[in-house]
Amino acid sequence: MKLLLASQSPRRKELLSSLGFDFEVVKIDCEEIIPENIKIEDAAAYLSDLKASAFRNLEPGEVLLTADTVVAIDNQILGKPKDEQDAFTMLQSLSGRTHQVYTGITIKTANKSFTETDVADVTLDKLSEEEINYYIQNYKPFDKAGSYGVQEWLGMAKITGLTGSYYTIMGLPTHLVYKILKESSLT
């Protein structure tokens, strides 16, 4: 099996490597637009599958892994922030509240495809304006859904509770990836 990871995320690379898999990183150019009528709980899987579908045809023995993460609160998806103000607004909306993090994965071969989503609930303590500005200035969360990384300062200092997989929040539900790659017949 030749595993291809279609992600530039250093966190996903680290997690997949820590699971013990050898893989090659590949790039997929795909416009990630979520349809307006999609259910929030289906958005991450939709984007993951969209990326997998945009990749070239797979050769026998190749396995493609794509993933996408969305953060949601108040029936609204918080994607990656456009700029500092957008990041500030997102973090302010998450302050002192519980939100959901959905990570969808697609594992595809030349003749099979699996897409699954995992969800985790995350509760953040109240964030002051100074704390939000500190985090944005020092961690530049512009490549992260919801404007934060669980493994960074904000996660360490301000997450007061979580239900579900920590790794789902990081961007790769490792338990699902491992199960599908190890237990499923992919060829």
Side-chain angles (χ1 to χ4, degrees), residues 148-168:
Y148 78 93
V150 66
Q151 71 281 1
E152 296 174 340
W153 177 86
L154 189 115
M156 290 185 279
K158 290 298 185 170
I159 289 179
T160 59
L162 65 88
T163 304
S165 170
Y166 176 84
Y167 301 106
T168 292

Side-chain angles (χ1 to χ4, degrees), residues 41-53:
E41 59 269 20
D42 297 334
Y46 172 84
L47 291 171
S48 177
D49 189 55
L50 184 70
K51 291 175 190 177
S53 297

Side-chain angles (χ1 to χ4, degrees), residues 4-74:
L4 307 173
L5 173 64
S7 178
Q8 301 306 306
S9 164
R11 293 160 300 282
R12 288 190 182 118
K13 293 176 200 174
E14 175 189 348
L15 291 173
L16 192 57
S17 181
S18 294
L19 277 176
F21 292 105
D22 292 323
F23 58 93
E24 177 185 328
V25 175
V26 295
K27 187 170 173 40
I28 295 178
D29 289 319
C30 175
E31 195 169 355
E32 298 177 33
I33 297 175
I34 301 170
E36 286 184 31
N37 59 344
I38 198 166
K39 293 179 184 174
I40 288 174
E41 59 269 20
D42 297 334
Y46 172 84
L47 291 171
S48 177
D49 189 55
L50 184 70
K51 291 175 190 177
S53 297
F55 194 64
R56 63 168 171 76
N57 288 337
L58 293 165
E59 300 293 325
E62 289 183 324
V63 178
L64 177 69
L65 169 60
T66 60
D68 205 280
T69 300
V70 298
V71 172
I73 193 163
D74 296 332

Side-chain angles (χ1 to χ4, degrees), residues 57-131:
N57 288 337
L58 293 165
E59 300 293 325
E62 289 183 324
V63 178
L64 177 69
L65 169 60
T66 60
D68 205 280
T69 300
V70 298
V71 172
I73 193 163
D74 296 332
N75 291 315
Q76 180 182 359
I77 293 173
L78 304 181
K80 296 174 184 172
K82 295 182 226 49
D83 54 29
E84 287 185 20
Q85 182 57 51
D86 197 25
F88 187 93
T89 302
M90 285 185 196
L91 291 171
Q92 217 170 25
S93 74
L94 299 174
S95 175
R97 304 183 60 206
T98 300
H99 62 276
Q100 290 68 48
V101 178
Y102 298 90
T103 297
I105 59 164
T106 299
I107 297 176
K108 184 177 180 179
T109 66
N111 56 9
K112 290 185 182 178
S113 184
F114 300 87
T115 299
E116 290 196 39
T117 300
D118 197 50
V119 62
D121 291 327
V122 180
T123 303
L124 288 179
D125 201 358
K126 283 277 192 195
L127 298 165
S128 68
E129 289 187 12
E130 294 79 19
E131 289 168 328

